[in-house]
Amino acid sequence: MAKRKSRTLEKAETAAVLSDSDRRTLQALHELAQKVVQSAAVGRSPYLDIPSRTLSNVRFNKTKRIIEMGSGTSRRELFNLSQAKAYMQTLLVASGAKRLIEQGKTTSLRGLYYMLKHTIKGTSEETFDDQSESDSMIEDVEVLLNALREELHLYAKTQGVMVGPITIIDNGDEIDCSRMGSGGYGIPSIVEPDRIQFRDCKAEFVLHVEKDTVWQRFNEDKFWLKHNCILTHGGGQPPRGVRRLLYRLHYELGLPIYCVLDNDPWGYYIYSVIKQGSINLAYESKRMAIPEVRFLGLRSSDFERCGLSPSVQIKLSEQDIKRAKQIANYPWFANKRAWQKEIELMLKNGFKLEVEALISKDISYVTEEYVPSRLAEGDFLD
Amino acid sequence: MSDSQNGSAGQTRRRVTAHTMAAQQREISVSEFFTKNKHLLGFDNPRKALLTTVKEAVDNSLDACEEAGIVPEIWVKISEVQPGRYRVSVQDNGPGIVKKQIPLIFGKLLYGSKFHRLRMSRGQQGIGISAAGMNGWITTGVPVKIISKTGPDKPAHYFEIQINTQLNRPEIRNGSGEGVDIPPGEKGLRYMEEHGIEWVAHYDVEEPGQPPVELASGTRVTIELAAKYQRGRGSVDEYIELTAIANPHVTIHYEDPEGQRRTYRRATTQLPPEPKEIKPHPYGVELGTLVTMLSRSKEKTLRQFLTQSFSRVTPSAAKEICQKAKLSIRAVPRELRSDAAEALYRAIQETRLKAPATDCVAPIGEELLLKGLRQVLPGEFYCAATRPPAVYRGNPFIIEVALAYGGGGTVEKITLELLRELLAQTDARTLRQFLLTTFDGVGPDAVERILKEARFGSRQVPSKLKPRDVERLYEAMKNVNVSESQTIQILRFANRVPLQFKQRDCAITEAVINTNWRTYGLNQSRGSLPTGPVSLMVHVASVWVPFTSESKEAIASYPEIQRELRLALQAVGRKLGLYLNRRKRVQLEGQRRNIFLRYLGEVADAVSQINGSDRQQLYEQLLKVAKRKTSDADLKFDERGRTLDPAEFGDHVVVVESSPEELFTDSRAAG
């Protein structure tokens, strides 16, 4: 019943204007469906060859200095017990994307999850048990169609924030990012040029910090005003919108990017993602990775250099140690002596440091002392 | 040393003299001995007394019918005379008993035809039915009533008998010590009605409109005794059911104290072959017995004695024995001294003799085992194995095993009313104990789960349950799937007689535990019975079944018997394993298909939405692929809807037809 209804709705709204990328995506979707029809017609088990998003299938491109996805694929078959459900889910996501594109609408990842979630006829089983299932299928469809998430008319929830002397046009609205009060401008999930255009940029560089607390400190101290820069944070691991925006700021406006992240394996990995791209989204590296980004702090030597009190040390856990060694072995870190020393020192210290640790010295130590002197000295890791 | 001892002995006061002791020494009558040792005969408690009484009467009836070549039909009726006192009546269509013998058979202990011969029969010692009568007389003071008829036109003899326990002698109470003769025909029936004598005169009318067939002959014995009627494990109900399983040629009409009537119809009219009587085999004779036999022998020479008193001793074998014992073959057996007897005994053991003839043991046979089992127990798979005859201590015996898989246990079959009744009757102190002792195949594990489901503590007292609690218990018993965790049910039989007690001490149980059932697809922890919805029937047939005690409740564990038991259990185990394996594969394949089918609709929907293709056509094409991919699930469901081809299992296997859907629902419930 519900299905028939949605189909009539669809017809009523197919009038939406299709962009070129929409047409391209629809064509890819159509081919995907066509393959199922063809294998069914000749009595073969339909399958999908999905480029695999694993460490074993990524390659570090030394010349481009980004992570690229390899040619490895994993086959997902309908008539394989352990894959049948995933196969069905993949096609559901594809049909959901088709509906969105035709209707000219976008929805969040969670929205699509609810759109596709229903009880399978004649059973008590749900098509998706939770959102993580549909999220991972969306990524599969992206690599499968070689289409970006936004081309599927999907977006993630807003997570990063920006402030600084720049004016942008977001969906036609002019936004002055130097007049954003204490909250800042929320970076949307889709920041493609057709959505967001840059105007009037007076900033000289971008300072990216890990989390909200540190960002608030910098904003309150009007760091961006004093140093004439754009200030962003990504709420931990930066979402794609933030990474894509940093990429555009760097390549379109030529702004250098500096990161202030925690001195722990997690902070290292965030840096690595911004710099070379993530393993999971290796196919996005070419439009998100910024090999020229620099790591400003915190450094393993900062405990002594800044004369911090021992109470801010956090003991490394077993897992931290394991993760640190793993990161040190990533090909894009393996040949960097400075980084090897950095990680070695942290392991030798036996503790990690969060950016907030600097507050123990003085509330504005990080904005007035630490970052300015690092910038002045030009002391950062590549 | 010895002096001082003598001295001190001389100083102690003499309490009795040889003369005073002699005055107290007298013969103990057998009856008196058994009055004091009732437990040896199975009358130790009121509940068991009722069972033993029914059992002895039914066993006697069946033996009598079979010996006379009559297809047995038995009527059992139990009624409550007053609280704690029951009347048991058992009638058969056997040959009847001649007038002179009736008082002796029912009123004298150790009187019978079975003790002195080696022949396969249900009863062995001939103490059973008279002991039951004596027990009745002692506990109620009501004499045993016997009515017996030897032919259609012969009068029926009616006796009321009690046993003089001092003298082991019957005393007839009616007809001024002579009993009463009731004439045949209408007149006799009227007489019986007037005097309140019960007698089933006609068989059931099988097809309406036909005249009832009169019983040509038969015997009915009625015993009133102090007893307790209780259902569940070790009950009369269970005994009747088990007897019906092991005796598929018998029809039993059973009326319980609540007036419920049940009839177990025979599955065949073919009587078991008549067992032959044999002479003892020398290997089975003990030294003491040998000495007695020698002293009583009438043969003139030792060779004659050996060849004629034993089976399988040829003249040349006798000669060999004599040579080994360093005795002359012409020695007079009566005159042999005890050391000569001992030499002879040893010589016998050392001489190679042919195993005894085994045609004296009649097995039930695989065919009838399966029939009997199917008649009474519901299930989905049955198989049976009868071993060739073997010998222990010179006694031939045969082991038979039959197995039923599937079907609900007693817990699932129970009704709310029956549960209420059982709870009212039980003397178990806790609910846990009640569940464990009342129901077959419910292990501690299943009990825990039932109690948990019903949210009862393990110390809940059964008598304190409120009506709503009982309903909750009932629901829990229905809901909990005990079949996977229930211990298997073992039905033990010796010469077709069910053994209902002392399961733990029995060689059969030992053999089942020692068999590795995990190989055959059942769960089993070390040193315990396997679990699963299995009923295992084990029958030991022999001219002399070695019981561990006089109450004949458990079989002694001889190595030869253990070996045969093991081989028989393995034979049915292999077949069960084969079946379970196939069943599992079919189920798995079915589950696989189910999973595919579940997603096909969604896939077809999604695809047709994307490219506007014909949903129905696509669905059907995918369905075809799915069916081909899981074709194994079909292979085993052939045109007749059978899950498996029984021929694959070899002989003596029955697979009950069930649809694939049932298997699926089954598996889903289990998963």
Side-chain angles (χ1 to χ4, degrees):
Chain A
M1 280 299 269
K3 225 155 273 157
R4 199 158 297 152
K5 216 180 201 172
S6 66
R7 215 172 282 168
T8 50
L9 264 176
E10 214 178 291
K11 264 183 194 145
E13 295 176 31
T14 29
V17 184
L18 296 178
S19 71
D20 284 350
S21 83
D22 283 345
R23 265 188 220 101
R24 214 171 39 241
T25 316
L26 280 179
Q27 180 58 31
L29 282 168
H30 188 81
E31 276 163 24
L32 184 75
Q34 212 55 39
K35 272 214 298 225
V36 181
V37 175
Q38 280 159 10
S39 23
V42 295
R44 274 215 202 96
S45 167
Y47 63 86
L48 302 167
D49 279 332
I50 300 169
S52 41
R53 296 174 287 115
T54 56
L55 180 59
S56 59
N57 192 38
V58 296
R59 204 179 55 225
F60 180 57
N61 186 324
K62 277 185 187 154
T63 44
K64 288 187 192 157
R65 291 182 294 159
I66 61 169
I67 297 174
E68 285 178 339
M69 188 153 64
S71 54
T73 58
S74 63
R75 182 161 288 198
R76 183 169 296 164
E77 281 184 83
L78 172 56
F79 295 112
N80 177 320
L81 264 202
S82 54
Q83 297 168 358
K85 188 168 188 183
Y87 182 91
M88 179 270 294
Q89 291 172 331
T90 317
L91 284 175
L92 272 184
V93 168
S95 79
K98 169 184 190 222
R99 259 149 68 193
L100 286 173
I101 296 168
E102 281 190 343
Q103 292 172 24
K105 306 229 161 135
T106 56
T107 183
S108 64
L109 299 186
R110 190 155 187 80
L112 186 75
Y113 164 62
Y114 277 112
M115 203 168 111
L116 301 176
K117 182 180 161 74
H118 61 258
T119 310
I120 299 168
K121 206 167 68 192
T123 69
S124 56
E125 195 179 342
E126 292 289 310
T127 49
F128 294 97
D129 286 331
D130 56 51
Q131 198 194 324
S132 67
E133 281 187 12
S134 71
D135 285 0
S136 129
M137 292 307 147
I138 290 167
E139 283 170 2
D140 285 344
V141 172
E142 287 176 49
V143 291
L144 198 58
L145 300 182
N146 198 15
L148 301 170
R149 192 193 279 167
E150 38 278 18
E151 290 172 343
L152 300 174
H153 285 221
L154 291 170
Y155 59 86
K157 73 169 195 249
T158 303
Q159 214 172 21
V161 169
M162 171 168 88
V163 71
I166 183 172
T167 303
I168 58 169
I169 313 286
D170 182 347
N171 232 3
D173 297 337
E174 195 172 287
I175 292 165
D176 182 354
C177 290
S178 62
R179 305 171 71 90
M180 298 305 297
S182 54
Y185 166 68
I187 303 168
S189 170
I190 301 174
V191 294
E192 294 312 300
D194 58 343
R195 271 282 181 93
I196 288 179
Q197 295 93 39
F198 299 136
R199 282 281 154 79
D200 288 342
C201 177
K202 294 187 197 81
E204 285 162 19
F205 66 95
V206 178
L207 186 72
H208 179 80
V209 301
E210 187 168 334
K211 280 166 300 193
D212 183 56
T213 359
V214 182
W215 184 89
Q216 293 290 359
R217 181 82 264 119
F218 280 92
N219 190 27
E220 202 179 290
D221 293 348
K222 292 282 178 244
F223 178 88
W224 52 270
L225 198 59
K226 280 177 215 159
H227 293 86
N228 197 23
C229 70
I230 294 171
L231 189 62
T232 58
H233 84 80
Q237 165 92 273
R240 285 196 243 185
V242 173
R243 287 173 54 201
R244 177 73 176 147
L245 188 72
L246 289 176
Y247 179 94
R248 288 189 59 204
L249 290 171
H250 178 70
Y251 286 107
E252 289 174 28
L253 305 179
L255 305 179
I257 316 262
Y258 301 101
C259 292
V260 177
L261 305 166
D262 290 345
N263 178 44
D264 62 14
W266 182 240
Y268 297 162
Y269 188 69
I270 290 173
Y271 176 69
S272 147
V273 166
I274 295 172
K275 194 175 177 75
Q276 282 97 16
S278 77
I279 295 163
N280 197 27
L281 299 175
Y283 56 95
E284 296 258 55
S285 297
K286 57 183 180 293
R287 47 188 291 269
M288 286 189 185
I290 314 158
E292 293 81 18
V293 71
R294 295 289 180 270
F295 185 85
L296 200 139
L298 260 46
R299 304 280 295 274
S300 306
S301 54
D302 282 343
F303 178 72
E304 283 184 8
R305 177 160 62 179
C306 307
L308 299 176
S309 102
S311 58
V312 300
Q313 298 176 355
I314 303 170
K315 204 173 170 293
L316 285 176
S317 68
E318 292 272 328
Q319 220 181 343
D320 287 332
I321 295 168
K322 223 174 100 190
R323 187 88 181 97
K325 287 179 178 161
Q326 212 178 0
I327 288 172
N329 282 331
Y330 281 158
W332 46 97
F333 279 122
N335 294 325
K336 291 185 176 160
R337 289 198 51 204
W339 268 108
Q340 292 296 329
K341 268 193 189 158
E342 179 69 22
I343 297 170
E344 243 170 65
L345 184 58
M346 178 183 72
L347 289 173
K348 211 180 107 202
N349 285 346
F351 58 81
K352 50 190 182 184
L353 292 171
E354 290 187 336
V355 180
E356 288 89 330
L358 297 174
I359 291 171
S360 72
K361 185 104 175 142
D362 181 273
I363 187 98
S364 289
Y365 177 77
V366 65
T367 60
E368 285 164 12
E369 269 293 317
Y370 185 83
V371 175
S373 51
R374 289 297 92 77
L375 285 170
E377 291 160 17
D379 176 17
F380 23 70
L381 288 175
D382 173 21
Chain B
M1 272 272 243
S2 66
D3 276 352
S4 68
Q5 239 181 12
N6 279 344
S8 63
Q11 279 161 17
T12 44
R13 199 164 48 87
R14 287 184 81 144
R15 280 181 270 189
V16 285
T17 64
H19 291 282
T20 54
M21 279 169 82
Q24 287 169 2
Q25 288 160 345
R26 61 186 166 85
E27 194 189 356
I28 303 164
S29 93
V30 201
S31 321
E32 209 177 356
F33 173 77
F34 279 121
T35 319
K36 288 186 174 164
N37 294 284
K38 286 204 290 186
H39 58 280
L40 290 179
L41 298 167
F43 295 99
D44 26 349
N45 63 56
R47 189 175 172 213
K48 213 163 155 192
L50 186 68
L51 172 67
T52 307
T53 304
V54 173
K55 194 170 163 167
E56 295 296 352
V58 170
D59 287 354
N60 268 13
S61 290
L62 289 176
D63 271 344
C65 289
E66 282 164 22
E67 211 170 321
I70 299 168
V71 180
E73 187 135 351
I74 311 270
W75 290 263
V76 178
K77 185 180 172 187
I78 303 175
S79 44
E80 192 173 12
V81 186
Q82 64 187 64
R85 191 188 273 202
Y86 288 83
R87 185 185 296 131
V88 173
S89 292
V90 177
Q91 184 177 336
D92 60 49
N93 61 344
I97 306 166
V98 294
K99 187 172 180 181
K100 182 165 69 83
Q101 293 291 339
I102 294 174
L104 294 170
I105 288 173
F106 292 94
K108 191 174 168 72
L109 290 179
L110 294 174
Y111 184 91
S113 56
K114 298 170 189 170
F115 190 70
H116 303 285
R117 51 187 192 177
L118 273 178
R119 193 188 130 149
M120 182 180 154
S121 64
R122 292 187 172 78
Q124 280 178 351
Q125 291 90 340
I127 39 179
I129 190 63
S130 45
M134 191 176 70
N135 174 66
W137 162 245
I138 292 167
T139 55
T140 63
V142 177
V144 181
K145 292 169 190 149
I146 299 110
I147 179 162
S148 186
K149 197 172 148 78
T150 54
D153 302 322
K154 303 264 173 64
H157 312 295
Y158 178 62
F159 286 93
E160 293 182 6
I161 297 168
Q162 72 181 71
I163 302 178
N164 183 328
T165 54
Q166 297 289 315
L167 303 172
N168 186 18
R169 218 176 59 187
E171 282 174 10
I172 302 163
R173 300 281 301 262
N174 65 336
S176 30
E178 291 295 324
V180 176
D181 281 356
I182 302 168
E186 286 301 314
K187 205 176 147 198
L189 291 179
R190 227 175 304 126
Y191 178 87
M192 290 193 229
E193 208 170 305
E194 279 162 22
H195 291 79
I197 303 166
E198 289 187 335
W199 176 255
V200 179
H202 299 96
Y203 290 106
D204 279 3
V205 179
E206 282 182 17
E207 279 167 48
Q210 282 188 346
V213 181
E214 197 183 340
L215 254 73
S217 58
T219 306
R220 184 183 187 96
V221 55
T222 304
I223 298 171
E224 208 166 307
L225 72 157
K228 186 174 176 188
Y229 173 77
Q230 204 174 332
R231 298 176 203 267
R233 209 180 280 172
S235 65
V236 177
D237 305 27
E238 185 190 59
Y239 165 75
I240 302 276
E241 187 174 302
L242 292 175
T243 303
I245 292 175
N247 298 276
H249 59 291
V250 179
T251 293
I252 306 176
H253 306 271
Y254 171 49
E255 186 178 335
D256 72 15
E258 275 128 39
Q260 276 189 45
R261 286 166 202 225
R262 257 159 291 171
T263 297
Y264 297 90
R265 298 236 171 256
R266 62 175 68 86
T268 174
T269 53
Q270 184 196 334
L271 278 174
E274 194 183 353
K276 286 183 193 148
E277 202 172 326
I278 58 158
K279 290 179 207 160
H281 190 273
Y283 285 169
V285 175
E286 281 166 49
L287 179 57
T289 320
L290 182 66
V291 171
T292 319
M293 285 172 80
L294 283 167
S295 64
R296 283 185 189 166
S297 69
K298 295 185 182 74
E299 287 84 4
K300 292 203 177 70
T301 67
L302 188 53
R303 180 159 70 177
Q304 266 179 353
F305 168 77
L306 288 171
T307 52
Q308 280 169 29
S309 335
F310 296 105
S311 64
R312 298 304 199 201
V313 181
T314 57
S316 68
K319 198 173 158 192
E320 196 188 334
I321 293 172
C322 292
Q323 276 169 357
K324 281 194 176 146
K326 300 206 168 61
L327 292 168
S328 161
I329 51 167
R330 268 181 272 281
V332 182
R334 245 175 331 221
E335 290 166 6
L336 285 181
R337 286 200 324 241
S338 65
D339 53 343
E342 206 176 323
L344 188 66
Y345 175 76
R346 243 179 283 121
I348 288 171
Q349 308 301 320
E350 285 163 13
T351 310
R352 275 189 74 88
L353 294 170
K354 247 173 97 178
T358 46
D359 53 359
C360 52
V361 185
I364 302 173
E366 282 119 341
E367 200 90 347
L368 289 180
L369 276 173
L370 290 175
K371 273 191 184 160
L373 213 53
R374 276 198 75 180
Q375 195 87 348
V376 184
L377 295 179
E380 58 185 70
F381 175 80
Y382 301 86
C383 63
T386 297
R387 293 285 308 158
V391 176
Y392 81 92
R393 300 269 319 262
N395 296 309
F397 70 98
I398 289 180
I399 301 291
E400 295 181 281
V401 175
L403 178 150
Y405 177 86
T410 44
V411 173
E412 282 127 80
K413 278 189 280 183
I414 196 170
T415 61
L416 186 56
E417 278 87 77
L418 185 58
L419 179 63
R420 282 207 190 99
E421 217 171 282
L422 288 168
L423 280 165
Q425 287 168 355
T426 185
D427 44 17
R429 251 174 266 142
T430 64
L431 201 51
R432 186 171 187 280
Q433 197 188 355
F434 165 75
L435 291 169
L436 271 178
T437 52
T438 313
F439 301 103
D440 276 317
V442 177
D445 189 47
V447 169
E448 284 313 315
R449 287 198 290 140
I450 291 172
L451 289 178
K452 203 174 159 201
E453 168 92 12
R455 304 186 306 279
F456 284 122
S458 55
R459 295 184 161 269
Q460 177 76 41
V461 181
S463 55
K464 284 190 181 160
L465 288 177
K466 296 190 186 77
R468 210 183 304 150
D469 294 339
V470 177
E471 277 165 34
R472 211 163 78 215
L473 179 65
Y474 174 71
E475 283 304 312
M477 288 171 73
K478 288 273 163 198
N479 289 343
V480 170
N481 177 15
V482 292
S483 63
E484 287 309 315
S485 64
Q486 74 184 15
T487 42
I488 68 161
Q489 188 185 7
I490 304 180
L491 316 174
R492 297 174 294 136
F493 297 87
N495 286 352
R496 293 168 183 261
V497 178
L499 308 176
Q500 291 170 274
F501 297 96
K502 295 198 177 163
Q503 177 168 312
R504 282 179 167 279
D505 304 338
C506 189
I508 293 174
T509 315
E510 192 186 329
V512 174
I513 289 175
N514 289 340
T515 305
N516 182 4
W517 293 92
R518 280 179 298 250
T519 338
Y520 310 129
L522 295 179
N523 290 327
Q524 182 185 25
S525 4
R526 192 175 289 276
S528 56
L529 290 172
T531 59
V534 173
S535 296
L536 196 59
M537 171 190 176
V538 183
H539 180 218
V540 178
S542 176
V543 292
W544 192 261
V545 179
F547 289 109
T548 57
S549 75
E550 272 322 296
S551 55
K552 299 193 256 175
E553 284 160 349
I555 293 170
S557 179
Y558 283 93
E560 295 88 352
I561 294 181
Q562 275 298 338
R563 188 187 124 85
E564 286 299 313
L565 281 170
R566 197 184 69 233
L567 291 172
L569 289 170
Q570 284 171 346
V572 294
R574 274 193 297 275
K575 288 175 182 172
L576 175 69
L578 207 58
Y579 172 73
L580 288 182
N581 228 332
R582 294 284 159 77
R583 186 180 188 271
K584 208 165 157 188
R585 233 169 55 207
V586 173
Q587 264 185 15
L588 271 183
E589 211 46 5
Q591 278 172 332
R592 230 163 75 101
R593 172 176 295 178
N594 256 14
I595 288 172
F596 295 151
L597 294 186
R598 207 178 296 175
Y599 300 140
L600 287 190
E602 293 293 331
V603 170
D605 278 345
V607 170
S608 79
Q609 268 191 34
I610 296 173
N611 67 359
S613 56
D614 183 345
R615 187 219 176 253
Q616 203 51 35
Q617 188 193 338
L618 178 63
Y619 180 77
E620 270 153 30
Q621 284 170 341
L622 287 173
L623 197 64
K624 225 184 271 170
V625 185
K627 287 207 169 138
R628 213 191 57 234
K629 288 268 171 187
T630 56
S631 53
D632 258 13
D634 286 322
L635 270 182
K636 307 300 183 292
F637 310 132
D638 60 11
E639 314 83 66
R640 286 174 306 181
R642 278 199 180 173
T643 48
L644 299 157
D645 182 6
E648 289 177 59
F649 296 101
D651 292 338
H652 313 305
V653 167
V654 177
V655 177
V656 180
E657 298 173 10
S658 62
S659 69
E661 284 70 31
E662 275 173 66
L663 279 177
F664 297 154
T665 47
D666 214 62
S667 66
R668 242 181 263 149

